[in-house]
Amino acid sequence: MKVFGGLEISAGPKEAELPPSEKKKLFTYQGVIDGIITGRIKRIAVLTGAGISTNAGIPDFRSPGSGLYSQMEKYKLPFPEAVFSIEYFLKDPRPFFTIAKGMTGKYVPTKFHYFIRLLQDKGLLLKNFTQNIDNLEGDAGVKKELLVQAHGSVAGAHCTGCGKEVDIKLMMAHIEKGEPLFCECKAPCKPDIVMFGEALPISFSMQMNDVASADLVIIAGTSLKVFPFSVLMDLAGPNTPRLVFDIKEPDKIKESKDDRNIFVPGNCEVSIEEFVHKLKLDVEFKALLAAREELRKKYEEEKKKAKI
Ligand code: CNA
């Protein structure tokens, strides 16, 4: 049994490690494609972060220039992460509400979200573990039972003092105005997202060991800097390739020099189309993207109506 920061990992790789010549064939981009096409790869765990939502218009944390941390100077915080730390939020929730204001609105899931949905439709999705709180995976049709929202989501809200449930519409109205919402007990209310310093939902520790049974791990749009999410990839077996889609190779991947890692550089919105094409799944993917256009139209209509 391995223990990572108090989290017990009971499952673990049991199979014997493949010889280097086999690994050389399997741990390549083409090896992964062949593995999926031939049915050798049947269970895919997808680990995602803010980078898969930047194409929907939601900024990530750490991208230089566009990431939220690079816009933090004006808030005069002790350190940029403070805006998402529970300790700071309880002292002063205003910076959080100000920054959250810029993130409200209806966002359309990206092609990468629909790729996860495609894996689900093909019976290949073992689980999607996401750090994202925007629920775009759900909006793209990924089923609740296959989605682990490790850092919570903005679908609900509670008081940080008495724990009372807060009407989400009231919370959203406050976020839209950039004004903190306080409970009758005087404590600030917060959407059900996990801030730095808070425990992850129990669903995460209950399901994290599933990664050990994956035939392939896909990692996308995450700097892998947030613990314990960053540990998930370590749970994959010795013969499980890890395909990493990111603009910038995460330090953890670069530094590990592990031959299971296959890095696909670039905008994941573009790389994923190419990957789908190589898998010969263009027709199914196009149908999902057509459904996405319907969703986009629906949101535009709603926006127009709200203006009248
Ligand atoms: P991060 O640390 O900001 O890293 C984002 C990663 O995505 C970086 O490695 C970027 O290079 C990469 N990236 C950005 N755009 C693209 C793109 N188009 N294609 C490929 N790669 C791209 O974010 P992490 O998710 O690693 O950090 C975890 C935090 C971020 C969690 O606590 C989240 O709750 C939090 N977060 C979530 C959202 C959201 O829900 N959309 C937005 C901002 C922050």
Side-chain angles (χ1 to χ4, degrees):
M1 184 192 291
K2 294 181 197 170
V3 178
F4 287 97
L7 284 168
E8 287 179 2
I9 293 144
S10 51
K14 289 179 182 67
E15 73 264 51
E17 214 169 317
L18 288 167
S21 58
E22 272 295 292
K23 280 187 186 175
K24 230 180 180 176
K25 260 194 289 172
L26 299 181
F27 299 169
T28 61
Y29 185 73
Q30 191 55 46
V32 166
I33 287 164
D34 294 343
I36 297 174
I37 290 177
T38 58
R40 182 173 45 76
I41 291 174
K42 292 188 182 69
R43 294 177 303 263
I44 305 178
V46 184
L47 318 181
T48 47
I52 71 158
S53 291
T54 53
N55 286 293
I58 306 173
D60 64 6
F61 272 174
R62 293 177 182 84
S63 281
S66 61
L68 290 172
Y69 288 159
S70 55
Q71 303 166 34
M72 225 44 97
E73 252 169 52
K74 53 184 177 245
Y75 300 113
K76 308 246 177 300
L77 296 166
F79 52 97
E81 286 89 347
V83 72
F84 295 108
S85 101
I86 189 67
E87 201 187 338
Y88 193 84
F89 181 85
L90 296 177
K91 273 191 227 145
D92 184 4
R94 286 170 303 172
F96 171 79
F97 277 86
T98 314
I99 202 115
K101 182 183 174 185
M103 294 170 76
T104 51
K106 280 273 189 190
Y107 294 96
V108 179
T110 66
K111 286 181 187 165
F112 203 96
H113 292 99
Y114 278 95
F115 164 70
I116 305 171
R117 163 72 189 275
L118 178 66
L119 291 181
Q120 169 183 288
D121 292 357
K122 301 302 289 178
L124 289 163
L125 183 65
L126 175 66
K127 285 273 159 78
N128 174 201
F129 290 85
T130 184
Q131 295 167 96
N132 295 346
I133 52 171
D134 53 31
N135 198 40
L136 291 187
E137 305 85 358
D139 293 348
V142 177
K143 292 177 192 162
K144 273 200 171 109
E145 58 270 31
L146 296 183
L147 183 61
V148 186
Q149 292 176 312
H151 296 167
S153 89
V154 288
H158 285 83
C159 167
T160 54
C162 65
K164 201 168 109 184
E165 192 171 352
V166 175
D167 176 10
I168 189 64
K169 285 199 184 125
L170 179 65
M171 172 56 84
M172 290 323 277
H174 273 259
I175 291 180
E176 272 159 30
K177 284 186 280 179
E179 277 173 19
L181 172 62
F182 290 93
C183 179
E184 291 154 356
C185 78
K186 309 263 186 288
C189 302
K190 176 178 89 52
D192 294 341
I193 57 169
V194 179
M195 289 190 158
F196 294 119
E198 288 190 293
L200 265 59
I202 189 82
S203 57
F204 178 78
S205 38
M206 299 268 291
Q207 298 178 80
M208 63 189 293
N209 284 310
D210 289 358
V211 177
S213 65
D215 304 318
L216 168 68
V217 175
I218 293 180
I219 300 167
T222 171
S223 59
L224 293 169
K225 289 217 190 298
V226 179
F227 177 86
F229 194 93
S230 56
V231 158
L232 286 176
M233 59 174 274
D234 303 322
L235 306 180
N239 302 323
T240 304
R242 302 183 294 203
L243 193 58
V244 185
F245 292 95
D246 206 295
I247 291 174
K248 181 178 169 280
E249 188 169 14
D251 294 344
K252 180 168 174 170
I253 300 290
K254 205 191 259 174
E255 284 154 18
S256 79
K257 303 209 185 319
D258 191 314
D259 53 10
R260 289 173 294 172
N261 298 335
I262 307 147
F263 177 52
V264 186
N267 184 342
C268 63
E269 200 72 341
V270 178
S271 345
I272 210 58
E273 271 210 300
E274 154 132 17
F275 189 59
V276 167
H277 177 64
K278 299 245 180 216
L279 291 175
K280 303 186 174 60
L281 293 173
D282 310 75
V283 175
E284 289 95 328
F285 198 46
K286 265 196 188 137
L288 287 175
L289 294 183
R292 177 174 83 140
E293 284 320 299
E294 290 306 310
L295 190 65
R296 193 192 302 281
K297 275 187 207 152
K298 188 179 146 212
Y299 289 170
E300 274 163 14
E301 286 300 316
E302 282 173 6
K303 227 193 242 168
K304 264 190 220 157
K305 269 189 202 153
K307 274 189 191 157
I308 296 167

